[in-house]
Amino acid sequence: MRNVVLALLALVALPLLQACDLGSGASPGAGADSVTCRNAAATMVSLDRTEAQLTRLGVLDQGPAWLRTFARGFLDARRIALQDCVRLNEVQVVGSHNSYHVEPQEPLFSILAAISALAYDIQYTHPPLATQFSDQGIRQIEIDVWTDPSGGLFARRFGNVLANLPPYSDNPAMYEPGFKVIHIPDIDFVSTCETFVACLEEIRAWSDAHPRHLPIAVLVELKDDPPFVPLSELAQPLPIGAPELDALDAEIRSVMPPAKLLTPDDVRGAHATLEDAVRSAGWPTLGETRGRVVFLMDNGGTKRALYRAGRSSLEGRVLFTNAVPGDADAAFVKQNDPLADPGLIEDLVREGYLVRTRADADTHEARTGDTAPRDAALASGAQYVSTDYAVPDPRFGTGYRVDLPGVATGAAGRCNPVNAPVFCRSAWLEAPHP
């Protein structure tokens, strides 16, 4: 009798499952086509209803093993495929601030702290980029770059002279031409990847090994600040102008092939301006952008103006600029303080822009345990919430960290709390196809 009941369950279950397959043409691993995405909400409702019916029938916990496996795999595969219809700007991820940064080591740190309490603002360290991606779920990073067209400009570290440590870098790449990755020359110079190319290569290697990852955003800050004191012994940074901005694009393209990049041209398509594209047509879907990298410019002002000169919608460029809403290049907007203007970030997100904000700054929140900026940042819907504390710093004793609410610790992303579609499921956003 039991076998007869199970057989009947199987006969009932199969039509229910087939009803969920709407003939969209999508298949696990192949992404989702336009028909699938137009029907995504209805399909998710059908999947949820079918799961509820199968649960009531006992198929998912009492049916034959083969049927349980088939039914669960069928439902999971279709839910995962539907996540390819979620758009890039409909996801929220945790980012890391100055992602390459390693705090000054002793005795240099104590020397700096004796000179100024500001030294405590830089007392944070990130693991290598690949570790952040794999172990902390980070999907947005920040890299500071300084131009060094001849090589060797930042190879000598004056801080190490003060600390009676070897003053010259032992990394041959620091003597070669190319952008260097440093927080503050001479005093806060330790990086997990000391050249921009080295950082890019680490990003690409991890991306190639994890082809279904959510798009990784790289925020690039262009630095050419003069030395903190006028001493000839200090490195004298060179200005970043139009030629250097072209060189930056070229350096990125030297490591990242076109298929790995998501550029302003890709997003703009046939629209008159980049802003028109993101506000009317929207950002590409996850199905179109998995495994890709998007570069964002941290700077505004002169550097943004130089970068978009003669290219009002960033034609031919790699980076999306930190733009002003209403301008032709407006697709990404930086709003670092989530408490400064309540509602502003949410409004920008609803209008179609990508937004980066910060949960903490200068170690203050981690030392005090203040979670107000973090909580406001996460609730705002900003797609990129940057922190120095994807994991707590045990030295501060507050347990402060930044995790995405409602998902597992270290998850790569969640459905955006402001603009995610009803069929978005956080647990499936970066799941491999079964």
Side-chain angles (χ1 to χ4, degrees):
M1 182 65 179
R2 180 174 179 272
N3 290 338
V4 172
V5 172
L6 293 177
L8 289 173
L9 289 176
L11 290 173
V12 171
L14 288 173
L16 289 173
L17 291 172
Q18 290 167 355
C20 292
D21 192 355
L22 303 182
S24 66
S27 60
D33 60 24
S34 59
V35 175
T36 303
C37 292
R38 285 197 299 271
N39 296 328
T43 302
M44 186 61 79
V45 169
S46 179
L47 289 167
D48 291 343
R49 184 183 300 120
T50 297
E51 181 173 20
Q53 291 172 319
L54 293 177
T55 299
R56 285 197 298 272
L57 291 169
V59 171
L60 296 180
D61 54 5
Q62 299 174 26
W66 68 266
L67 181 57
R68 296 198 308 269
T69 300
F70 171 77
R72 179 57 62 192
F74 186 102
L75 293 168
D76 288 352
R78 270 113 192 115
R79 285 186 174 123
I80 291 171
L82 286 179
Q83 302 317 297
D84 281 354
C85 297
V86 177
R87 295 187 181 276
L88 182 153
N89 64 312
E90 295 170 342
V91 175
Q92 185 178 68
V93 303
V94 172
S96 57
H97 161 255
N98 290 346
S99 310
Y100 57 87
H101 186 262
V102 177
E103 66 190 59
Q105 303 302 294
E106 294 293 356
L108 178 56
F109 181 81
S110 292
I111 293 171
L112 296 174
I115 296 171
S116 172
L118 293 176
Y120 293 99
D121 292 354
I122 58 175
Q123 195 178 26
Y124 61 92
T125 293
H126 291 294
L129 301 180
T131 301
Q132 294 181 52
F133 298 147
S134 291
D135 297 349
Q136 299 177 356
I138 295 296
R139 293 295 179 270
Q140 183 261 308
I141 60 174
E142 179 184 356
I143 299 177
D144 296 342
V145 298
W146 305 71
T147 187
D148 185 12
S150 299
L153 182 59
F154 303 103
R156 182 177 183 274
R157 287 81 180 267
F158 183 70
N160 278 359
V161 175
L162 297 177
N164 197 29
L165 296 170
Y168 289 96
S169 171
D170 60 0
N171 181 358
M174 290 299 291
Y175 300 88
E176 297 295 326
F179 287 91
K180 303 304 187 292
V181 177
I182 304 167
H183 188 220
I184 306 173
D186 288 302
I187 63 170
D188 190 19
F189 48 79
V190 182
S191 304
T192 59
C193 45
E194 294 187 306
T195 70
F196 192 35
V197 164
C199 296
L200 294 171
E201 290 174 342
E202 187 173 358
I203 296 165
R204 181 177 176 186
W206 188 90
S207 176
D208 287 346
H210 303 82
R212 275 189 55 79
H213 68 75
L214 291 175
I216 293 173
V218 181
L219 183 67
V220 180
E221 182 172 0
L222 307 161
K223 287 194 164 185
D224 53 11
D225 307 312
F228 55 96
V229 291
L231 292 177
S232 60
E233 292 90 344
L234 302 178
Q236 304 299 312
L238 299 173
I240 293 179
E244 289 74 27
L245 294 172
D246 291 342
L248 183 76
D249 276 1
E251 203 157 286
I252 294 171
R253 292 187 187 278
S254 74
V255 176
M256 302 285 179
K260 183 64 67 176
L261 292 170
L262 180 67
T263 67
D265 286 342
D266 295 328
V267 174
R268 188 182 66 259
H271 289 264
T273 69
L274 181 57
E275 185 185 56
D276 178 56
V278 300
R279 297 196 62 186
S280 61
W283 288 83
T285 65
L286 296 184
E288 297 168 314
T289 58
R290 291 188 188 280
R292 298 172 77 176
V293 184
V294 54
F295 288 84
L296 313 169
M297 182 184 290
D298 181 89
N299 310 73
T302 301
K303 290 182 175 58
R304 174 198 169 217
L306 288 172
Y307 194 73
R308 67 191 294 261
R311 310 173 190 225
S312 61
S313 284
L314 305 175
E315 293 87 349
R317 287 302 199 183
V318 175
L319 281 70
F320 292 82
T321 46
N322 171 21
V324 178
D327 287 354
D329 61 328
F332 163 66
V333 181
K334 184 181 72 172
Q335 290 289 332
N336 279 345
D337 187 348
L339 298 175
D341 187 351
L344 174 60
I345 293 176
E346 181 175 340
D347 289 343
L348 291 169
V349 170
R350 291 191 186 281
E351 290 169 10
Y353 301 106
L354 289 180
V355 182
R356 183 260 195 169
T357 194
R358 294 185 65 175
D360 44 74
D362 302 327
T363 77
H364 295 171
E365 289 77 11
R367 293 179 189 276
T368 64
D370 180 10
T371 62
R374 178 197 71 185
D375 296 344
L378 291 167
S380 73
Q383 291 86 357
Y384 307 119
V385 178
S386 180
T387 182
D388 288 315
Y389 301 98
V391 296
D393 189 326
R395 296 174 295 184
F396 301 153
T398 64
Y400 177 88
R401 68 184 300 162
V402 177
D403 284 316
L404 294 169
V407 297
T409 298
R414 70 163 176 163
C415 300
N416 193 296
V418 168
N419 67 348
V422 295
F423 58 85
C424 184
R425 298 292 185 272
S426 296
W428 303 111
L429 286 173
E430 202 177 79
H433 279 300

